Every structure is written in structure tokens, then in C-alpha cells.
Amino acid sequence: MILRMNDDTWGKARGDCIWAIKHVPLGPWSMYKNVLAEYNLKQRWFLIDFLSYISYIIFSDQIAETWEACDRGRVPRPLSFFFIWNILQRGTYEQTVYYIYRTSWKTEKWKNLVITDDDFAVESLQNISYYALIGGYKHPFIDIHTRKYINEACFEDIVVLYEFDEELRGIFFKYLCRVERKMRSSISYHFCKKHGERQEEYLNSNNYGNIPKNKNGITKLIKMLDMMANKNKDHEYLVYQRNKYHNIPLWVIMNTLTFGQISKMFEFLPQNMQGAICQDFGNVKKNEMIKYLKVLTLYRNVCAHNERLFFYHTYIDIPDTLLHEKLSISKNGSKYIYGKNDLFSVVITFRYLLPKTDFLLFKKQLLHIFDRYEKQNSNLKLNDLFEYMGFPINWKEITKFRKI
């Protein structure tokens, strides 16, 4: 939680925290200004610690309670300013930080969370942060009505779930990158095969699927590609190509594009080129590919930014597939309840876009993670975890059926 920042980042972080203090019902703002002045917090990283503690640890539950209370027409209860004043009287930095973390997990004890090892709890909160650990992973262990922990949930259960999600992000990110790599290669090959390797070709809007709905998107794409080709100095290989050959082929510049930009580029290509690229992935239909790439882009961002993965759902659905039908996934109305915008939708997408050997290895590694979790956490059963991830009970049969 100790942060070292440049002036711009520091100013933004401090401004965000002060905004939170001003807008959450904690008491008069003048009280906080006086406290900060009296305490004479000279070291920026300590002040960030203090402000982060207020805005994340204390606020995390009570902001939610405040909004819920407002929704129910109740007056939200204020926080005690003297609680923070006591922290500031603790003395040394180390004592203060230790008190902060002890206090943060004590609030969870009051909600029936079992903590058997105080030092382990403090160390975990220091390494991960209260907001990322408790705020992100307590929900499967809490009664949504009482907001208290159930079934004798313990701190270690939350840590195990966090570590499980961390492993999950690692394996999904690995194979998301493989799909991304193959898409880069396929787009580069088919575009250059038709138009050559001169940069003027991928900067020419006539070489894209110039239908009316794509016009603005193509303009933005070309503007971005032009900036990369002619102005970007962040990548040495671009500068080298520009200076020596006065030309940056598409297969070079593709390495600088994000997954989202690659997804957009595929969407804007002519239909015949889209069809050729889809053939490289096993005859996936082009409209299906567009949706697959959009969903994978969102999940890649979650993995890359270390956000909570197992409970993440996208606002975009993947298409209905033969695998949905073969796995006998139930429907809610006309929509399948699993494998549409949840983590299992990524598994289905991998089944279509990864080579068979890669998918079998992915499945094997995924099973290993599930088995290890089941041995470590007895409170949240694996089948309950599958519900959060959108996995049907028979998900392992996904390799028994043909894809199309």
C-alpha cells in the first residue's frame, strides 16, 4: 500500500481521496484540514496511505450502506471522526499502519468473519490491500440480506479464493494472448497478400469495408495507424524501419496494436478478407468472429489489469453455438443461462479459436487449478464457484462434441 508517485499521479490520487472525504458524511471538512495540518504529514507516501485508508477501507462498506439507506429512504449513519483522530495519535508510521490493518479486519470480525491468525491477516492486507481482497472476494461468503459472513467463513477462505482467481487470470491471459497473436499474424498475411507491404495501403480507406456504418471507425483506425507509422517513437523497431526504409509494413506495425484495436481492424476489413481470416481459425463465421473478439478484448483487459475474473460478465453475448446445445445448457426464455457473457463463454470461444492441442492443454491446466482449489477451500464448494463463473456441471464434456 506504500506508493511512490510522480507529481501528476500524486496530485490526482490526493484529489480523488479528498473528494471522497468531502462527499461522504464523515463530519466537517475543516476538521480534517486541521488534523492534517497538526500532524504535519511531510512524506507524500504516508499521506497517500492515510487517504487511501479512509477512502477504501472505511468507506468501502459504508458508502454502499449509505446509498442503500438512501434508496430505502433512511438517513445514513455518519462515521466517527474520533476513530481517525485516534489513528493519528498512534505515533510512528509502522505503528499507525499496523493499527490501520488491524482495524480493517476487526470490522470484518464484527460481521462474523473468523480470523484465526491475526498476523497473517495483517500481512495479507498489507500485500494485497483491503479493497482488492475483502472488497473483491467477500461476496460469496456473505448473506446479502444481513451483510454478515455465513457458514463460519474464515479469512483464509477469502485469501484462497483471491489466489484461485489470480491463477485463473494467469491461465486465461496466456491463451487470450495466443488468440491475439494468431489474429495479428492472420490479418497481416491476408492484407499484405492482397495489397502489398507499403504503409500507404493500410492508410488507404478504400482498402477497408467502406460501408456507411464503418466510416467513422475506419477514419479513427487510419488516424491511429498513421500516427504509429509516422510519429511514434516509443518502439525502437518502428523508428528503425522509418529511418532506414521510410516504410513500416503492416506486419511490423501490428505488434504495436492492442487486442481492442486488432478486433476493430478485423471488423472493418472487406468481407472476403474477413472470410479468409476466419478460415485460419477453422471456418468460424465472420459475424461470430466479430462478437468473439469483442468479448475476448474485455476479458483480456480484466486479466491484464488484475481485476476480479471469476465473477466478471460482459455486456456483449457470444453467439449461440452447437456446443451450447450439445452440453444441454438450460435456457431462460430464449437465452442460454451459461456460456453467453460469463467466463464459460471464453472457454467456448477458446474451443473455436484455439488449435485443438492448445485447447486440450488449456483444459488440463484449468482442471488442475480447480482440483487444487477444491482441496484448499471447504467453505465455498466448487459447484457453487461454477455458478459464479457460468460453468455448467458437465463442462468437461466440451471436448466430446464437434464444434460445427
Side-chain angles (χ1 to χ4, degrees):
M1 219 169 152
I2 299 175
L3 304 177
R4 299 187 183 277
M5 303 182 173
N6 59 37
D7 288 341
D8 291 340
T9 308
W10 149 251
K12 183 179 184 302
R14 185 177 184 277
D16 291 345
C17 293
I18 290 176
W19 182 94
I21 294 173
K22 284 184 177 181
H23 289 77
V24 176
L26 290 169
W29 167 237
S30 58
M31 299 173 70
Y32 293 95
K33 289 196 293 186
N34 293 337
V35 169
L36 294 177
E38 289 181 25
Y39 199 67
N40 192 23
L41 299 175
K42 296 179 180 178
Q43 300 186 67
R44 290 180 172 181
W45 48 263
F46 182 76
L47 183 54
I48 284 291
D49 241 6
F50 168 70
L51 294 174
S52 297
Y53 169 66
I54 296 174
S55 60
Y56 289 136
I57 297 179
I58 297 182
F59 295 173
S60 59
D61 285 340
Q62 296 203 17
I63 284 179
E65 291 174 7
T66 297
W67 303 151
E68 289 174 6
C70 291
D71 290 341
R72 295 192 297 268
R74 290 167 49 189
V75 178
R77 64 184 177 87
L79 290 173
S80 170
F81 169 75
F82 297 102
F83 178 73
I84 300 172
W85 175 258
N86 286 335
I87 293 175
L88 294 176
Q89 303 304 310
R90 288 276 157 180
T92 67
Y93 168 77
E94 291 77 11
Q95 291 172 327
T96 302
V97 170
Y98 185 77
Y99 179 77
I100 284 174
Y101 289 115
R102 281 182 63 87
T103 305
S104 66
W105 60 249
K106 276 185 178 180
T107 63
E108 302 306 311
K109 272 190 172 181
W110 297 336
K111 301 174 188 176
N112 300 332
L113 179 65
V114 178
I115 299 179
T116 56
D117 187 336
D118 293 357
D119 291 335
F120 173 73
V122 171
E123 183 181 2
S124 298
L125 292 172
Q126 285 178 316
N127 291 335
I128 302 171
S129 91
Y130 177 93
Y131 181 77
L133 180 60
I134 303 297
Y137 295 90
K138 68 182 178 182
H139 305 288
F141 307 100
I142 283 184
D143 185 296
I144 60 174
H145 302 293
T146 65
R147 297 174 62 81
K148 290 187 175 182
Y149 292 91
I150 56 177
N151 300 327
E152 298 183 347
C154 64
F155 184 84
E156 287 76 6
D157 290 331
I158 298 176
V159 173
V160 168
L161 180 58
Y162 173 87
E163 291 174 345
F164 163 80
D165 200 49
E166 191 172 43
E167 283 193 90
L168 209 60
R169 285 196 300 271
I171 183 176
F172 274 87
F173 187 71
K174 174 182 177 180
Y175 288 95
L176 281 163
C177 287
R178 292 195 180 184
V179 174
E180 178 181 354
R181 181 181 63 192
K182 186 172 180 179
M183 181 57 69
R184 290 180 195 273
S185 175
S186 186
I187 290 177
S188 300
Y189 172 77
H190 289 286
F191 191 95
C192 293
K193 180 181 178 181
K194 182 173 182 179
H195 299 294
E197 63 177 30
R198 297 299 301 173
Q199 69 183 44
E200 289 82 4
E201 298 301 328
Y202 61 76
L203 298 179
N204 184 351
S205 62
N206 293 324
N207 292 333
Y208 295 88
N210 230 332
I211 58 178
K213 71 172 186 176
N214 289 345
K215 188 174 181 180
N216 289 337
I218 292 171
T219 300
K220 291 179 181 178
L221 175 67
I222 291 176
K223 184 178 180 181
M224 181 273 298
L225 292 172
D226 181 69
M227 187 276 294
M228 287 290 184
N230 295 311
K231 298 178 182 178
N232 184 278
K233 297 180 180 179
D234 295 334
H235 304 278
E236 290 184 7
Y237 55 89
L238 293 185
V239 176
Y240 174 80
Q241 289 277 341
R242 188 184 302 132
N243 292 340
K244 184 167 184 178
Y245 301 107
H246 307 289
N247 176 65
I248 300 180
L250 182 62
W251 49 266
V252 173
I253 210 164
M254 285 294 288
N255 287 324
T256 69
L257 305 189
T258 66
F259 201 167
Q261 291 166 340
I262 294 168
S263 171
K264 283 294 183 184
M265 189 169 188
F266 174 84
E267 186 176 352
F268 298 145
L269 291 174
Q271 289 190 12
N272 60 347
M273 194 175 297
Q274 288 176 334
I277 293 168
C278 287
Q279 289 290 329
D280 292 343
F281 288 86
N283 203 27
V284 178
K285 295 178 181 178
K286 57 182 181 295
N287 290 333
E288 294 174 345
M289 180 65 85
I290 289 171
K291 290 183 178 180
Y292 287 148
L293 293 178
K294 286 181 178 179
V295 169
L296 292 187
T297 297
L298 295 172
Y299 272 98
R300 187 194 185 284
N301 291 340
V302 169
C303 293
H305 298 144
N306 288 321
E307 297 178 15
R308 183 180 62 191
L309 177 64
F310 80 98
F311 199 26
Y312 181 72
H313 290 68
T314 62
Y315 62 90
I316 304 169
D317 291 347
I318 67 168
D320 292 346
T321 69
L322 183 62
L323 293 175
H324 287 95
E325 179 184 342
K326 292 295 184 180
L327 289 169
S328 301
I329 298 176
S330 300
K331 287 186 175 183
N332 181 9
S334 60
K335 181 177 177 178
Y336 289 106
I337 62 173
Y338 300 129
K340 291 294 291 180
N341 64 344
D342 46 37
L343 193 58
F344 191 60
S345 70
V346 181
V347 177
I348 291 175
T349 302
F350 281 171
R351 180 76 172 88
Y352 281 93
L353 301 187
L354 287 173
K356 184 178 179 179
T357 52
D358 278 2
F359 184 80
L360 290 174
L361 185 58
F362 162 75
K363 180 186 172 185
K364 181 180 179 180
Q365 294 171 347
L366 197 58
L367 283 167
H368 180 66
I369 293 174
F370 289 160
D371 289 342
R372 187 161 59 248
Y373 172 81
E374 196 167 26
K375 293 174 183 176
Q376 290 179 309
N377 197 326
S378 59
N379 201 301
L380 182 62
K381 300 299 183 183
L382 191 58
N383 286 346
D384 295 328
L385 194 54
F386 283 163
E387 281 290 326
Y388 286 105
M389 299 189 296
F391 277 54
I393 298 301
N394 64 337
W395 76 272
K396 289 183 283 188
E397 297 178 5
I398 192 170
T399 49
K400 289 176 58 176
F401 310 111
R402 60 185 179 88
K403 299 182 291 184
I404 54 176

